PDB file of all heavy atoms in Angstrom:
ATOM      1  N   GLU B 380      -7.014  -3.140   5.001  1.00  0.00           N
ATOM      2  CA  GLU B 380      -8.415  -3.454   5.227  1.00  0.00           C
ATOM      3  C   GLU B 380      -9.249  -2.320   4.661  1.00  0.00           C
ATOM      4  O   GLU B 380      -9.127  -1.173   5.100  1.00  0.00           O
ATOM      5  CB  GLU B 380      -8.682  -3.637   6.722  1.00  0.00           C
ATOM      6  CG  GLU B 380     -10.114  -3.992   7.065  1.00  0.00           C
ATOM      7  CD  GLU B 380     -10.488  -5.392   6.649  1.00  0.00           C
ATOM      8  OE1 GLU B 380      -9.605  -6.272   6.681  1.00  0.00           O
ATOM      9  OE2 GLU B 380     -11.664  -5.616   6.296  1.00  0.00           O
ATOM     10  N   MET B 381     -10.072  -2.630   3.688  1.00  0.00           N
ATOM     11  CA  MET B 381     -10.876  -1.630   3.002  1.00  0.00           C
ATOM     12  C   MET B 381     -12.341  -1.895   3.299  1.00  0.00           C
ATOM     13  O   MET B 381     -12.869  -2.945   2.940  1.00  0.00           O
ATOM     14  CB  MET B 381     -10.617  -1.659   1.494  1.00  0.00           C
ATOM     15  CG  MET B 381      -9.150  -1.480   1.121  1.00  0.00           C
ATOM     16  SD  MET B 381      -8.897  -1.365  -0.672  1.00  0.00           S
ATOM     17  CE  MET B 381      -9.386  -3.021  -1.161  1.00  0.00           C
ATOM     18  N   ASN B 382     -12.973  -0.936   3.947  1.00  0.00           N
ATOM     19  CA  ASN B 382     -14.382  -1.040   4.299  1.00  0.00           C
ATOM     20  C   ASN B 382     -15.182   0.061   3.619  1.00  0.00           C
ATOM     21  O   ASN B 382     -14.643   1.097   3.226  1.00  0.00           O
ATOM     22  CB  ASN B 382     -14.556  -0.949   5.817  1.00  0.00           C
ATOM     23  CG  ASN B 382     -13.869  -2.065   6.559  1.00  0.00           C
ATOM     24  OD1 ASN B 382     -14.060  -3.236   6.247  1.00  0.00           O
ATOM     25  ND2 ASN B 382     -13.064  -1.716   7.559  1.00  0.00           N
ATOM     26  N   ASN B 383     -16.477  -0.171   3.511  1.00  0.00           N
ATOM     27  CA  ASN B 383     -17.370   0.797   2.884  1.00  0.00           C
ATOM     28  C   ASN B 383     -16.826   1.269   1.538  1.00  0.00           C
ATOM     29  O   ASN B 383     -16.719   2.466   1.264  1.00  0.00           O
ATOM     30  CB  ASN B 383     -17.598   1.987   3.818  1.00  0.00           C
ATOM     31  CG  ASN B 383     -18.721   2.885   3.363  1.00  0.00           C
ATOM     32  OD1 ASN B 383     -19.626   2.459   2.650  1.00  0.00           O
ATOM     33  ND2 ASN B 383     -18.664   4.156   3.771  1.00  0.00           N
ATOM     34  N   LEU B 384     -16.490   0.323   0.708  1.00  0.00           N
ATOM     35  CA  LEU B 384     -15.901   0.642  -0.586  1.00  0.00           C
ATOM     36  C   LEU B 384     -16.879   1.401  -1.472  1.00  0.00           C
ATOM     37  O   LEU B 384     -18.092   1.175  -1.432  1.00  0.00           O
ATOM     38  CB  LEU B 384     -15.443  -0.630  -1.281  1.00  0.00           C
ATOM     39  CG  LEU B 384     -14.141  -1.218  -0.726  1.00  0.00           C
ATOM     40  CD1 LEU B 384     -13.999  -2.677  -1.129  1.00  0.00           C
ATOM     41  CD2 LEU B 384     -12.946  -0.408  -1.213  1.00  0.00           C
ATOM     42  N   LYS B 385     -16.311   2.295  -2.265  1.00  0.00           N
ATOM     43  CA  LYS B 385     -17.081   3.125  -3.177  1.00  0.00           C
ATOM     44  C   LYS B 385     -16.627   2.871  -4.608  1.00  0.00           C
ATOM     45  O   LYS B 385     -15.495   2.446  -4.833  1.00  0.00           O
ATOM     46  CB  LYS B 385     -16.892   4.604  -2.837  1.00  0.00           C
ATOM     47  CG  LYS B 385     -17.252   4.968  -1.410  1.00  0.00           C
ATOM     48  CD  LYS B 385     -16.934   6.426  -1.123  1.00  0.00           C
ATOM     49  CE  LYS B 385     -17.296   6.801   0.297  1.00  0.00           C
ATOM     50  NZ  LYS B 385     -16.976   8.226   0.583  1.00  0.00           N
ATOM     51  N   PRO B 386     -17.484   3.140  -5.586  1.00  0.00           N
ATOM     52  CA  PRO B 386     -17.065   2.954  -6.978  1.00  0.00           C
ATOM     53  C   PRO B 386     -15.786   3.698  -7.333  1.00  0.00           C
ATOM     54  O   PRO B 386     -14.993   3.195  -8.139  1.00  0.00           O
ATOM     55  CB  PRO B 386     -18.267   3.484  -7.778  1.00  0.00           C
ATOM     56  CG  PRO B 386     -19.431   3.229  -6.887  1.00  0.00           C
ATOM     57  CD  PRO B 386     -18.920   3.492  -5.496  1.00  0.00           C
ATOM     58  N   GLU B 387     -15.570   4.853  -6.744  1.00  0.00           N
ATOM     59  CA  GLU B 387     -14.364   5.617  -7.029  1.00  0.00           C
ATOM     60  C   GLU B 387     -13.096   4.978  -6.463  1.00  0.00           C
ATOM     61  O   GLU B 387     -11.989   5.446  -6.743  1.00  0.00           O
ATOM     62  CB  GLU B 387     -14.487   7.061  -6.524  1.00  0.00           C
ATOM     63  CG  GLU B 387     -14.942   7.170  -5.084  1.00  0.00           C
ATOM     64  CD  GLU B 387     -16.432   7.423  -4.958  1.00  0.00           C
ATOM     65  OE1 GLU B 387     -17.203   6.780  -5.695  1.00  0.00           O
ATOM     66  OE2 GLU B 387     -16.822   8.272  -4.124  1.00  0.00           O
ATOM     67  N   ASP B 388     -13.243   3.932  -5.667  1.00  0.00           N
ATOM     68  CA  ASP B 388     -12.088   3.176  -5.201  1.00  0.00           C
ATOM     69  C   ASP B 388     -11.585   2.189  -6.241  1.00  0.00           C
ATOM     70  O   ASP B 388     -10.532   1.576  -6.045  1.00  0.00           O
ATOM     71  CB  ASP B 388     -12.422   2.418  -3.914  1.00  0.00           C
ATOM     72  CG  ASP B 388     -12.717   3.334  -2.738  1.00  0.00           C
ATOM     73  OD1 ASP B 388     -11.999   4.338  -2.571  1.00  0.00           O
ATOM     74  OD2 ASP B 388     -13.664   3.033  -1.983  1.00  0.00           O
ATOM     75  N   THR B 389     -12.329   2.015  -7.309  1.00  0.00           N
ATOM     76  CA  THR B 389     -11.931   1.085  -8.361  1.00  0.00           C
ATOM     77  C   THR B 389     -10.589   1.497  -8.947  1.00  0.00           C
ATOM     78  O   THR B 389     -10.414   2.627  -9.409  1.00  0.00           O
ATOM     79  CB  THR B 389     -12.995   1.035  -9.463  1.00  0.00           C
ATOM     80  OG1 THR B 389     -14.207   0.502  -8.930  1.00  0.00           O
ATOM     81  CG2 THR B 389     -12.530   0.161 -10.618  1.00  0.00           C
ATOM     82  N   ALA B 390      -9.639   0.580  -8.926  1.00  0.00           N
ATOM     83  CA  ALA B 390      -8.294   0.864  -9.406  1.00  0.00           C
ATOM     84  C   ALA B 390      -7.456  -0.396  -9.290  1.00  0.00           C
ATOM     85  O   ALA B 390      -7.868  -1.381  -8.675  1.00  0.00           O
ATOM     86  CB  ALA B 390      -7.649   1.993  -8.595  1.00  0.00           C
ATOM     87  N   VAL B 391      -6.283  -0.341  -9.877  1.00  0.00           N
ATOM     88  CA  VAL B 391      -5.269  -1.345  -9.603  1.00  0.00           C
ATOM     89  C   VAL B 391      -4.485  -0.872  -8.393  1.00  0.00           C
ATOM     90  O   VAL B 391      -3.988   0.260  -8.373  1.00  0.00           O
ATOM     91  CB  VAL B 391      -4.327  -1.559 -10.801  1.00  0.00           C
ATOM     92  CG1 VAL B 391      -3.233  -2.560 -10.445  1.00  0.00           C
ATOM     93  CG2 VAL B 391      -5.111  -2.051 -12.009  1.00  0.00           C
ATOM     94  N   TYR B 392      -4.387  -1.713  -7.391  1.00  0.00           N
ATOM     95  CA  TYR B 392      -3.696  -1.371  -6.161  1.00  0.00           C
ATOM     96  C   TYR B 392      -2.313  -2.010  -6.152  1.00  0.00           C
ATOM     97  O   TYR B 392      -2.172  -3.214  -6.380  1.00  0.00           O
ATOM     98  CB  TYR B 392      -4.503  -1.832  -4.946  1.00  0.00           C
ATOM     99  CG  TYR B 392      -5.682  -0.945  -4.660  1.00  0.00           C
ATOM    100  CD1 TYR B 392      -6.781  -0.923  -5.503  1.00  0.00           C
ATOM    101  CD2 TYR B 392      -5.690  -0.103  -3.541  1.00  0.00           C
ATOM    102  CE1 TYR B 392      -7.855  -0.093  -5.264  1.00  0.00           C
ATOM    103  CE2 TYR B 392      -6.766   0.724  -3.284  1.00  0.00           C
ATOM    104  CZ  TYR B 392      -7.845   0.731  -4.152  1.00  0.00           C
ATOM    105  OH  TYR B 392      -8.914   1.556  -3.891  1.00  0.00           O
ATOM    106  N   TYR B 393      -1.312  -1.186  -5.887  1.00  0.00           N
ATOM    107  CA  TYR B 393       0.071  -1.623  -5.899  1.00  0.00           C
ATOM    108  C   TYR B 393       0.690  -1.528  -4.519  1.00  0.00           C
ATOM    109  O   TYR B 393       0.460  -0.559  -3.787  1.00  0.00           O
ATOM    110  CB  TYR B 393       0.906  -0.759  -6.848  1.00  0.00           C
ATOM    111  CG  TYR B 393       0.481  -0.807  -8.290  1.00  0.00           C
ATOM    112  CD1 TYR B 393      -0.463   0.088  -8.786  1.00  0.00           C
ATOM    113  CD2 TYR B 393       1.026  -1.739  -9.164  1.00  0.00           C
ATOM    114  CE1 TYR B 393      -0.856   0.054 -10.110  1.00  0.00           C
ATOM    115  CE2 TYR B 393       0.640  -1.778 -10.493  1.00  0.00           C
ATOM    116  CZ  TYR B 393      -0.300  -0.874 -10.963  1.00  0.00           C
ATOM    117  OH  TYR B 393      -0.677  -0.915 -12.282  1.00  0.00           O
TER     118      TYR B 393
END
Side-chain angles (χ1 to χ4, degrees):
E380 181 71 33
M381 304 185 294
N382 298 309
N383 192 25
L384 284 161
K385 303 176 180 180
E387 50 263 43
D388 295 318
T389 295
V391 177
Y392 284 70
Y393 298 90

